Amino acid sequence: VKQKGKNDYYVFQDDHLKKKLPDLILLGDLHKSIRNRELFIVYQPIIDVKTTKIRAMETLVRWYHPVHGTVPPSEFIPLAEETGFIVSIGEWVIRQACEQHEKWKKIGLPPVRIAVNISVKELQDQHFAKRVEAILSQKQISPEYLELEITESLMIYNEPIILNNLMRMKEIGVRLSIDDFGTGYSSLAYLKRLDVDTVKIDQSFIADCPRSYYGSVITTTIISLAHHLGMNVIAEGVEHLDQFRYLEEKGCQEAQGYLFSRPLHPKEATKLLFQGIRH
Ligand code: C2E
Ligand code: CA
Ligand code: CA
Ligand code: CA
């Protein structure tokens, strides 16, 4: 087994290189992506379960690479986090989101919340809150329409800078949402301390609903917990009608997923806001 292990070592080395080399090439390109206007945002609606009206749009970033085509966030966000470039990407996304909100307002659409994904790395920057405040005042968007989605795992970082940034956001009226709820290190104390507005039930639990016992129990428990704490609940990854019916029955307020819409380019998103969701 040991001898075989020696071969495995070389195999591992090759795989390691195969994985790391393109990363390095991509990394050089990534730093030019904002300047070259290669980043773009797609918007996925979050709907009101009772009325199917659109309540919010989540911004999901994409990178259109001149050679590789569209690179999904799962491939470049971790790289951007490692190098700190995520701070620039994040600021760009928030600015775009606020600009889009302004455009929708100008053409007379009823206002929807804009939900933006935020990395831990962004929150570790002591100027985060100040930069968001500056964008909000430039864009004349009322803070309650901005919702920051943070992943639950960052709750384990008991860092004053992160907490100060988040508390400042709450102070000025920006909403906080816990993404992928139920998968990370839940600290219920933080929900209270940060006065979180929304929890998003992770799509892995919704995928198991209503057929699997565990998925259903976890989903209903999260809904009940959130309601007892006065929070809004969003179910994400809703793909089938039976999942939707289940969530409706359990009193989940909002839902998001392919059943209603895939993430859309700004023009398509605008069209959908005019038309509404048909079902
Ligand atoms: P997330 O925030 O949990 O976003 C949900 C992901 O599920 C998105 O993938 C979305 O396209 C996908 N999705 C939506 N509805 C359904 C459905 O019904 N079924 C299934 N199977 N999937 C669905 P996407 O766009 O590839 O984004 C992946 C992750 O990348 C996001 O997970 C988020 O954590 C991160 N991300 C995206 N944009 C940004 C950003 O601007 N900044 C940061 N820091 N992270 C971002
Ligand atoms: Ca999210
Ligand atoms: Ca999520
Ligand atoms: Ca996520």
Side-chain angles (χ1 to χ4, degrees):
V1 179
K2 280 259 164 71
Q3 273 164 340
K4 199 171 165 258
K6 198 181 165 193
N7 280 329
D8 283 345
Y9 177 74
Y10 286 103
V11 170
F12 168 74
Q13 281 265 308
D14 281 342
D15 278 357
H16 190 66
L17 269 182
K18 251 188 231 149
K19 214 180 123 5
K20 278 295 165 193
L21 210 54
D23 274 9
L24 289 175
I25 296 164
L26 276 183
L27 192 58
D29 297 346
L30 186 59
H31 283 97
K32 295 179 276 180
S33 63
I34 296 182
R35 217 180 322 130
N36 294 350
R37 297 170 183 266
E38 291 162 1
L39 294 183
F40 64 97
I41 292 174
V42 284
Y43 295 86
Q44 191 179 30
I46 296 169
I47 65 123
D48 183 300
V49 169
K50 279 197 188 129
T51 63
T52 73
K53 283 207 171 88
I54 299 171
R55 290 279 175 250
M57 286 285 192
E58 180 178 2
T59 59
L60 295 160
V61 73
R62 301 283 182 268
W63 176 20
Y64 188 78
H65 187 279
V67 177
H68 303 293
T70 303
V71 185
S74 54
E75 281 181 34
F76 69 92
I77 295 284
L79 270 181
E81 284 173 340
E82 267 173 49
T83 60
F85 191 58
I86 191 67
V87 171
S88 305
I89 294 180
E91 187 173 0
W92 181 86
V93 171
I94 295 172
R95 181 167 285 117
Q96 293 293 308
C98 293
E99 266 172 28
Q100 188 58 69
H101 187 274
E102 221 177 8
K103 280 184 198 161
W104 284 333
K105 191 173 164 185
K106 275 192 186 133
I107 57 175
L109 285 164
V112 293
R113 303 186 326 262
I114 298 272
V116 179
N117 293 288
I118 305 291
S119 295
V120 185
K121 279 277 146 60
E122 294 175 66
L123 294 169
Q124 284 172 327
D125 174 28
Q126 56 173 335
H127 303 298
F128 175 82
K130 272 204 195 87
R131 286 185 291 109
V132 175
E133 284 178 64
I135 296 170
L136 284 172
S137 64
Q138 278 165 22
K139 300 295 171 198
Q140 319 224 307
I141 158 175
S142 163
E144 75 259 27
Y145 288 113
L146 181 63
E147 186 157 80
L148 305 182
E149 294 193 0
I150 55 185
T151 51
E152 202 184 359
S153 55
L154 87 76
M155 302 295 183
I156 59 166
Y157 293 78
N158 198 6
E159 292 176 21
I161 293 179
I162 295 180
L163 293 174
N164 286 341
N165 277 325
L166 292 175
M167 287 195 291
R168 181 64 191 149
M169 290 291 91
K170 281 302 300 181
E171 246 170 59
I172 64 164
V174 169
R175 296 169 58 102
L176 297 184
S177 170
I178 307 295
D179 207 350
D180 307 336
F181 193 82
T183 59
Y185 301 84
S186 316
S187 166
L188 297 176
Y190 271 98
L191 288 180
K192 188 168 162 251
R193 184 161 169 200
L194 288 171
D195 191 14
V196 166
D197 302 274
T198 301
V199 295
K200 293 187 86 171
I201 307 173
D202 191 67
Q203 39 186 286
S204 61
F205 304 126
I206 303 302
D208 287 348
C209 267
R211 264 173 275 278
S212 124
Y213 176 75
Y214 280 96
S216 308
V217 167
I218 291 168
T219 299
T220 50
T221 303
I222 295 173
I223 294 170
S224 156
L225 169 77
H227 287 169
H228 279 104
L229 296 173
M231 292 168 193
N232 180 37
V233 199
I234 305 175
E236 57 177 18
V238 180
E239 295 181 356
H240 308 290
L241 203 57
D242 58 349
Q243 294 169 329
F244 179 62
R245 295 276 175 252
Y246 185 80
L247 293 162
E248 197 177 20
E249 188 194 310
K250 299 298 174 191
C252 180
Q253 291 113 310
E254 296 183 338
Q256 181 181 26
Y258 297 159
L259 177 65
F260 317 105
S261 172
R262 291 185 173 264
L264 304 169
H265 290 277
K267 272 191 187 151
E268 302 170 304
T270 305
K271 214 168 127 193
L272 192 71
L273 282 171
F274 271 115
Q275 289 176 344
I277 303 269
R278 287 170 199 171
H279 77 129

